[in-house]
Amino acid sequence: MPAPLRIAVLECDTPPEKSNAKYGGYVGVFTTLLKASAKALNEPTKLDPENGLHISRFDVVTAQTYPDLEDFDAVLLTGSKHNSFEDHAWILKLVEFTQKALAHPRVKLLGICFGHQIIGRALGVEVGRNSAGWEIAVCDVDLTQKGREIFGVDKLKIQQMHRDIVYTYPRDVTSLGSSPRCEVQGMYKEGKFITVQGHPEFSGDIMTEILELRAAAGVFDKEQAEDALNRAEKEHDGVRIGIAFLRFLLE
């Protein structure tokens, strides 16, 4: 039986109320995605689809707890409503830990949205507000040659919920894709990390809850919200991305 993958999920936020109750935090959201991806991968000699994932949660915002890197194979940085470019103490601590993980000879990283931006920041490139504004609900990402190789399609459909971006690619990092609103949609370094700006872990119900809450708070105007809600339940490539993550971790 293959050894299980030991994944530390760094929770950088808490899902909205209904989704939090349903999934049990973002660790539950990612566990749902990765277990579905392990089954779809269907390579039991490499990864047991039932027992091959040992996923642990670490609250890096409030408790500010972190894993011992020697006990894990991978670190996953989640999305967040917080701004990756700010200098709050917990964010600076997260950037410092990410730099430590990047320097580790064995541990691999997965970065999602805010986590993607934190990895970019840890590598020394600027992150901040996107002058093109929000990118929300299911959108297309045009893949590079490496992106097509990793994900197995020419174009990704992925849930988006961001107005912050990584402005440029760090040195010696390979581009995975872009969209009309965001040039840096994914980053890759062989044997070290994969990141995506979108949210492969978001189901339609999670996206709908976030959109409705933010529309009610005035974050999105009526036209933006209606357009996004019409795309929130569209089919997307979340499991395909999850499979690519697992293959990368198994390399």
Side-chain angles (χ1 to χ4, degrees), residues 100-209:
K100 181 181 176 183
L102 288 166
H104 194 280
R106 178 182 52 79
V107 171
K108 297 178 180 179
L109 289 86
L110 302 172
I112 312 297
C113 194
F114 174 89
H116 154 87
Q117 295 161 18
I118 290 293
I119 290 175
R121 181 173 177 177
L123 291 169
V125 295
E126 187 178 1
V127 296
R129 289 281 191 261
N130 185 0
S131 61
W134 286 93
E135 190 171 30
I136 51 179
V138 177
C139 300
D140 288 344
V141 170
D142 295 313
L143 296 176
T144 62
Q145 181 177 344
K146 176 55 73 173
R148 293 191 294 271
E149 176 187 320
I150 287 174
F151 298 115
V153 290
D154 291 334
K155 190 185 295 281
L156 274 184
K157 294 187 180 300
I158 186 170
Q159 296 275 21
Q160 301 275 7
M161 179 54 69
H162 71 102
R163 61 171 173 169
D164 297 342
I165 56 171
V166 179
Y167 286 129
T168 57
Y169 285 94
R171 184 179 177 184
D172 298 326
V173 168
T174 301
S175 166
L176 294 181
S178 63
S179 71
R181 284 185 178 268
C182 175
E183 181 181 354
V184 185
Q185 282 284 352
M187 303 186 295
Y188 170 80
K189 189 164 186 177
E190 184 177 1
K192 196 70 252 177
F193 60 79
I194 294 180
T195 75
V196 290
Q197 176 57 72
H199 286 275
E201 79 283 11
F202 276 6
S203 55
D205 61 329
I206 297 174
M207 178 57 70
T208 296
E209 184 179 11

Side-chain angles (χ1 to χ4, degrees), residues 8 20 39 45 49 51-52 62-63 69 91 102 118 141-143 148 154 179 186 190 200 207 223 229 231 243:
N20 195 39
K39 289 180 181 179
T45 59
N51 302 302
T62 304
L69 292 173
I91 293 179
L102 288 166
I118 290 293
V141 170
D142 295 313
L143 296 176
R148 293 191 294 271
D154 291 334
S179 71
E190 184 177 1
M207 178 57 70
E223 184 178 351
L229 285 166
R231 290 181 285 108
I243 290 171

